[in-house]
Amino acid sequence: MFARVYVMLKLSTLTLFAGFLLAACTSLPVEKGKVYSTVLSNTGSTYLGQLISPYADQHPGLTGLHPLKTGTSALIARLVLIAKAEQSLDVQYYIWHDDMTGKLMLKALLDAADRGVRVRLLLDDMDTKGKDAMLAALDSHPNLELRLFNPFNSRSRRLMDFATDLGRVNHRMHNKSLTADNQATIVGGRNIGNEYFQAGEHVQFADLDTLAIGSAVDEVSQAFDLYWNHRYVLSFKHFYPEYDAGMTLEQLRVELKENYQQVKTSFYAEAIREAYDEFSERMEQLDWHWGRAATIYDDPIKIEGDDNREQTHLGAKLSKIIGHTKRELVMVSPYFVPGRRFVDYIVGMEQEGIDVKILTNSLAATDVAAVHAGYMGYRMDLLAAGAEIFEYKPGVNSVDISSKFKMGSSSGASLHAKTLTIDGRWIFIGSFNIDPRSAVWNTEIGIIAEAPGLAGALSEGFKGKLKE
């Protein structure tokens, strides 16, 4: 995403200018009276609780994963969870576009709040520019509360924060999760917007989420609570205590209803309507992969330093897990800038006979050319060590630059999934890219699971595509 360019700002004129503004340095706004709240855990009697409990009881201590491989299935899963929620919705995203699917999701949340569901919506402040009126109206609903991660001091002059407070605002919350009644959650690489749900006119992101039930759901909820109540998260009403940003709740309802009516008559609606009904009616019959799992995530305190401790940094946790690889490591990362130490580590794995395969965006597919330039500096060393690198290309085919095998892709597509499979047995699905932003600057979340069926299927599917 465009936010990855921010790491380059440290070398820009903007940063040099900031050096002359020490006297003007700012910090996180101070909020008084923020209400502490936690997950609603007594939800076994809800529709989702009664639906899921029999299956979870058959797999005590385990997590069930169902991969959401297409954009339409990912949107449908979110809409179904929101529609079925009876007590709570905890929703955390980096980007939430003001487009067709973004408004569709907002309407679903508002409808849930109207039913009496407690909705907690946590957004990173980077993507909220120009949306304050809509968000203030949404936040005015008594059952819906909106909070912002690491917000800018000014709602209209953000460039000044970059100039005077870059060390803070360069850190963003890249987490993505949606949890309904503490019974089911969706975690993965997708933000909220048309391009993530196969509804974009130009760019379509090839991405992956997982719908999860069982033990990992509580851990996602704990992570959400940690962020929701953290000092780096401020209530939206701190900035608009009277919700007077220019739009009323009723005006928002009219806008969201108009969008909904347009969606109902669109080709996109025809494409998802039947799938929505089917998913809603047979959710318990989905292809669940059960296994040991853990939710791993950055502590939001990560934004105070870059010491990369395992206790606070997802990257350090993931590195430890990768260290257990015996045969094969398959990494999918749209933004792949591994750094010298990780390249040396991969070289060592190849020398020990471990097969390493990497899929990332080609220059033609990436939406951040500067990141691709960073990756190019490490590509030849990885190839020389024996790693196989595949580059995702839109319109034609993605090319394996080490053997010229091909991987099919659609026109206008860009890779956005972030996954790891280890020995065809362990799988990680989350928001973490193998690049400096995810490792050092952004906060991230993901689920690591011992699910041989799912890990093996994705690994074999990856290899099968390469030979098409």
Side-chain angles (χ1 to χ4, degrees), residues 89 108-119 141-144:
L89 285 163
L109 292 182
L110 192 57
D111 289 345
D114 287 342
R115 299 195 306 270
V117 177
R118 185 192 74 173
V119 180
H141 194 292
N143 292 330
L144 190 153

Side-chain angles (χ1 to χ4, degrees), residues 143-404:
N143 292 330
L144 190 153
E145 183 178 0
L146 171 64
R147 294 185 180 181
L148 301 176
F149 180 85
N150 197 20
F152 292 85
N153 278 283
S154 172
R155 306 311 300 161
S156 59
R157 300 177 62 192
R158 300 185 179 207
L159 188 60
M160 285 303 298
D161 275 22
F162 280 117
T164 63
D165 204 11
L166 180 62
R168 177 178 70 85
V169 300
N170 195 33
H171 291 272
R172 305 316 318 170
M173 182 192 76
H174 198 237
N175 308 40
K176 305 157 178 62
S177 69
L178 187 155
T179 305
D181 286 339
N182 197 37
Q183 294 291 331
T185 190
I186 296 173
V187 173
R190 289 184 176 93
N191 293 295
I192 306 300
N194 290 350
E195 62 267 40
Y196 302 96
F197 299 127
Q198 292 180 263
E201 295 182 2
H202 304 292
V203 176
Q204 305 282 354
F205 281 130
D207 217 324
L208 182 68
D209 297 314
T210 184
L211 173 63
I213 59 178
S215 64
V217 178
D218 277 335
E219 296 172 349
V220 174
S221 293
Q222 292 168 19
F224 184 92
D225 283 349
L226 176 64
Y227 279 78
W228 184 254
N229 297 300
H230 201 271
R231 64 181 181 273
Y232 282 104
V233 170
L234 273 66
S235 303
F236 196 79
K237 65 181 178 182
H238 170 76
F239 299 98
Y240 297 98
E242 303 300 325
Y243 308 110
D244 56 352
M247 177 183 286
T248 67
L249 180 58
E250 289 309 311
Q251 288 172 328
L252 175 61
R253 290 185 189 278
V254 170
E255 182 175 325
L256 297 180
K257 185 176 180 179
E258 289 176 351
N259 177 75
Y260 179 72
Q261 294 300 328
Q262 292 174 5
V263 174
K264 282 178 63 176
T265 59
S266 69
F267 174 79
Y268 186 72
E270 294 295 326
I272 68 173
R273 184 175 291 113
E274 182 177 342
Y276 179 96
D277 293 339
E278 182 180 1
F279 187 96
S280 181
E281 293 171 2
R282 58 178 290 273
M283 182 176 165
E284 73 278 13
Q285 301 173 17
L286 296 175
D287 184 18
W288 295 103
H289 299 266
W290 290 90
R292 292 183 296 160
T295 303
I296 57 177
Y297 50 90
D298 287 307
D299 189 308
I301 204 172
K302 172 186 179 181
I303 75 174
E304 295 181 355
D306 58 0
D307 53 351
N308 203 26
R309 291 178 293 145
E310 188 178 334
Q311 295 88 337
T312 56
H313 285 53
L314 183 154
K317 298 182 182 79
L318 205 54
S319 293
K320 184 176 181 179
I321 294 168
I322 290 173
H324 294 288
T325 306
K326 303 298 183 185
R327 297 181 293 101
E328 179 188 67
L329 173 65
V330 178
M331 296 180 284
V332 179
S333 180
Y335 312 112
F336 186 75
V337 186
R340 177 49 52 190
R341 289 181 61 185
F342 192 54
V343 168
D344 291 344
Y345 188 77
I346 293 174
V347 170
M349 295 177 79
E350 287 286 347
Q351 291 173 346
E352 293 174 6
I354 298 172
D355 292 330
V356 178
K357 295 180 174 62
I358 302 159
L359 174 63
T360 191
N361 275 315
S362 66
L363 178 59
T366 188
D367 59 333
V368 185
V371 172
H372 189 270
Y375 145 72
M376 288 289 289
Y378 302 104
R379 189 168 70 170
M380 294 309 298
D381 288 345
L382 291 169
L383 291 173
E388 296 179 81
I389 304 178
F390 306 88
E391 294 188 351
Y392 197 91
K393 291 187 177 181
V396 286
N397 286 311
S398 295
V399 178
D400 170 7
I401 62 173
S402 54
S403 67
K404 301 302 181 185

